[in-house]
C-alpha cells in the first residue's frame, strides 16, 4: 500500500519535499534494483527459518518503510527506506508464490499463481485509489500514516490465519498432518523439483527479463509520452474531450484490472494447454499487437492494441512464474531477479530510444523485437 501510494504522490509533491526530478527517478526505481541482490538472499534465509515467522518480519519492515515516508525525511533516509522495502517485497513475493506452488503441485501451479497474482493486484488497485484520495482529503503525512497502519494489520492476519488453520477452523484448509513413524525411521524425503538443463534455465531467465522489460517497464513507463506525442493534450470522444493524462491513467488502470480479474483464468488456461505453449502463444500475440502500433495513429485502435499487449504479458508472465516455481526455490529466486532487472531497465531503454530517435514508434519497435525473441526462445525450449 505504501509503495503504490508513493507512485501516486511523489511525482506530484516532490518539489514540496525538496527532491529533484532525478532524485524522484532514483527513489522510484531503487526498490527494484536492490531486489537483484535480495532475491537470492531471501532464498538462503528461507532454507534456515520458517516462512511463517520470516513473513511476519517482512510485513513489519514494509509497514515501517511506509511510516518513514510519512515523516518526509532527507533524501538518503528516504532512499534507505526504499531499499528496505525492496528487500521486504522480495520476502513477501517469494513466500507467497512458493507457498502457493508447493501447496497445489505442478499440475495446478499456473492456476494458483494466477489466483495469488489476482489477489495481490487488488492491493495495487485499492492502494492507488485510497492513497490518492487520502492525499487530497488529509494531506501527505496522514495518507502514509494510514497506509502504514493498514499494512501493519497484515501481521495480525498472518498469525491469525495460521492459528485458525492449525485448529481446523478454516473450511477447506487442511491441518498440518503429524506422521507416525517407528523409532529410528527417517522421515520421507520431499519430492524433488523438476530441474531442466542449463540452456533451458537460461532461456527461462531471458524470457522473464523480456516479459517484465516490455510489459512492466517499456510500455507503461512511456505510454503517457506516446499518447501525448500523437494526440496532444486532449482526445475527442464524440462531442466531448478527454485529457490525455486521464486516458493514460485509464489504460494503466486497465493493466492492473487485467492482472486482477484475468489472472486466475489465464493461469488455469496455462495449466490446461501447457505452460510452454501458453507463453509462446502469448508472446506471439504480444508481438503481433505491438507491430501495427508502429504506424496506427487512431487512439480507438491503439488503445485496444495496448490492452491486448497487457493481456498477453499477464498470460506469459503467469506461465513463466509457474514454471520457475515448479523448478524450486533457487530457480524461482534467479528467475525473479531476471524479472526485476527487466522492470528496472525497461524504462531506461524506452526513454533512451525516445531521446535518440525522437519518435514514439521506437518504443513499439523495440517491444515487437523483444517479444519475437521471447517467442523464439519459448520454441527452443521444446526442442530436445
Amino acid at each position: 500500500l505504501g509503495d503504490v501510494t508513493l507512485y501516486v504522490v511523489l511525482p506530484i509533491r516532490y518539489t514540496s519535499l525538496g527532491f529533484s526530478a532525478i532524485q524522484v527517478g532514483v527513489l522510484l526505481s531503487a526498490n527494484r534494483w536492490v531486489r537483484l541482490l535480495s532475491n537470492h538472499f531471501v532464498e538462503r534465509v528461507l532454507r534456515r527459518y520458517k516462512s511463517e515467522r520470516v513473513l511476519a518480519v517482512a510485513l513489519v519492515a514494509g509497514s515501517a518503510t511506509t511510516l518513514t515516508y510519512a515523516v518526509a525525511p532527507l533524501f538518503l533516509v528516504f532512499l534507505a527506506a526504499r531499499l528496505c522495502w525492496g528487500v521486504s517485497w522480495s520476502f513477501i513475493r517469494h513466500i507467497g508464490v512458493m507457498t502457493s506452488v508447493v501447496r497445489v503441485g505442478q499440475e495446478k501451479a499456473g492456476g494458483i499463481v494466477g489466483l495469488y497474482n489476482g489477489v495481490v493486484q487488488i492491493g495495487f488497485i485499492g492502494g492507488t485509489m485510497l492513497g490518492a484520495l487520502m492525499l487530497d482529503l488529509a494531506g501527505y503525512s496522514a495518507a502514509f500514516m494510514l497506509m502504514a497502519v493498514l499494512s501493519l494489520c497484515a501481521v495480525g492476519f498472518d498469525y491469525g490465519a495460521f492459528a485458525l488453520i492449525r485448529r481446523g477452523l478454516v473450511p477447506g484448509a487442511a491441518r498440518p498432518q503429524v506422521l507416525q513413524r517407528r523409532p529410528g525411521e527417517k522421515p520421507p524425503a520431499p519430492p524433488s523439483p523438476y530441474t531442466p538443463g542449463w540452456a533451458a534455465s537460461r532461456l527461462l531467465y531471458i524470457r522473464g527479463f523480456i516479459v517484465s522489460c516490455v510489459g512492466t517497464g517499456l510500455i507503461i513507463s512511456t505510454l503517457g509520452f506516446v499518447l501525448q506525442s500523437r494526440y496532444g493534450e486532449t482526445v475527442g470522444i464524440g462531442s466531448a474531450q478527454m485529457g490525455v493524462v486521464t486516458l493514460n491513467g485509464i489504460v494503466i488502470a486497465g493493466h492492473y484490472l487485467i492482472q486482477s480479474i484475468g489472472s486466475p483464468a489465464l493461469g488455469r488456461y496455462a495449466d490446461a494447454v501447457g505452460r510452454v505453449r501458453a507463453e509462446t502463444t502469448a508472446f506471439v500475440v504480444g508481438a503481433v499487437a505491438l507491430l501495427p502500433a508502429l504506424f496506427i495513429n487512431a487512439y480507438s485502435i491503439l488503445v485496444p492494441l495496448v490492452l491486448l499487449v497487457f493481456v498477453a504479458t499477464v498470460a506469459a508472465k503467469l506461465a513463466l512464474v509457474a514454471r520457475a516455481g515448479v523448478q524450486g526455490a533457487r530457480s524461482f529466486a534467479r528467475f525473479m531477479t531476471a524479472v526485476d532487472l527487466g522492470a528496472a531497465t525497461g524504462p531506461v531503454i524506452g526513454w533512451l530510444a525516445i531521446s535518440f530517435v525522437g519518435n514514439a514508434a521506437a518504443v513499439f519497435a523495440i517491444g515487437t523485437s523483444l517479444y519475437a525473441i521471447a517467442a523464439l526462445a519459448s520454441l527452443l525450449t521444446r526442442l530436445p
Side-chain angles (χ1 to χ4, degrees):
L1 297 180
D3 182 61
V4 294
T5 300
L6 190 68
Y7 277 89
V8 174
V9 172
L10 195 58
I12 298 173
R13 296 292 180 87
Y14 72 93
T15 53
S16 62
L17 297 174
F19 297 146
S20 65
I22 188 64
Q23 286 176 327
V24 173
V26 171
L27 291 174
L28 292 181
S29 63
N31 61 307
R32 291 176 175 174
W33 288 107
V34 72
R35 292 202 299 261
L36 303 183
L37 300 175
S38 63
N39 289 334
H40 303 280
F41 171 71
V42 167
E43 188 266 331
R44 289 193 293 269
V45 168
L46 291 174
R47 291 186 211 167
R48 300 183 57 186
Y49 302 100
K50 291 183 178 180
S51 60
E52 175 183 346
R53 297 175 181 176
V54 174
L55 179 59
V57 174
L59 293 172
V60 171
S63 301
T65 63
T66 303
L67 189 61
T68 305
Y69 305 153
V71 299
L74 298 174
F75 172 73
L76 291 179
V77 180
F78 214 113
L79 178 61
R82 293 297 290 161
L83 296 174
C84 178
W85 165 246
V87 177
S88 299
W89 180 246
S90 285
F91 278 103
I92 295 169
R93 180 178 61 186
H94 189 104
I95 293 171
V97 173
M98 289 306 300
T99 300
S100 302
V101 170
V102 170
R103 186 69 177 173
V104 302
Q106 180 174 348
E107 291 77 12
K108 299 181 180 179
I112 196 65
V113 170
L115 178 60
Y116 175 79
N117 186 62
V119 173
V120 171
Q121 294 306 314
I122 296 174
F124 277 86
I125 297 170
T128 301
M129 297 175 62
L130 181 60
L133 180 63
M134 286 301 301
L135 177 68
D136 289 335
L137 294 179
Y140 173 87
S141 296
F144 280 109
M145 286 182 180
L146 174 64
M147 290 302 183
V149 172
L150 291 177
S151 297
L152 195 60
C153 292
V155 181
F157 282 108
D158 179 32
Y159 277 110
F162 276 112
L164 291 174
I165 290 171
R166 288 195 201 96
R167 290 168 173 77
L169 299 178
V170 179
R175 285 177 291 179
Q177 297 179 354
V178 179
L179 301 178
Q180 300 295 330
R181 295 190 297 271
R182 292 185 296 272
E185 182 183 0
K186 294 183 179 181
S192 300
Y194 166 68
T195 52
W198 184 90
S201 295
R202 278 18 179 214
L203 289 173
L204 176 67
Y205 305 148
I206 290 172
R207 301 197 301 280
F209 171 86
I210 290 176
V211 74
S212 185
C213 177
V214 176
T216 304
L218 187 66
I219 302 300
I220 290 182
S221 69
T222 62
L223 183 61
F225 173 83
V226 171
L227 296 175
Q228 187 177 46
S229 64
R230 291 192 175 184
Y231 312 121
E233 296 297 327
T234 61
V235 293
I237 302 179
S239 59
Q241 294 288 320
M242 176 187 291
V244 73
V245 176
T246 302
L247 179 61
N248 183 43
I250 292 173
V251 177
I252 292 178
H255 173 253
Y256 290 130
L257 192 62
I258 289 168
Q259 291 205 67
S260 178
I261 297 177
S263 287
L266 291 171
R268 291 192 297 270
Y269 161 77
D271 289 335
V273 304
R275 286 184 278 273
V276 176
R277 178 180 295 179
E279 68 172 80
T280 305
T281 303
F283 282 128
V284 171
V285 170
V288 171
L290 284 169
L291 184 60
L294 281 164
F295 49 85
I296 291 178
N297 286 323
Y299 75 87
S300 59
I301 299 177
L302 179 64
V303 169
L305 287 175
V306 171
L307 292 175
L308 181 59
V309 172
F310 289 157
V311 173
T313 298
V314 172
K317 190 172 182 179
L318 287 174
L320 289 166
V321 169
R323 282 171 59 83
V326 166
Q327 291 174 194
R330 183 172 298 179
S331 172
F332 179 76
R334 292 172 177 171
F335 172 80
M336 292 315 302
T337 298
V339 169
D340 289 331
L341 181 61
T345 57
V348 177
I349 294 173
W351 284 99
L352 281 176
I354 291 172
S355 299
F356 282 108
V357 179
N359 192 323
V363 173
F364 297 114
I366 294 172
T368 302
S369 301
L370 288 176
Y371 267 10
I373 293 172
L376 178 61
S378 298
L379 291 173
L380 290 176
T381 62
R382 305 175 71 174
L383 298 178

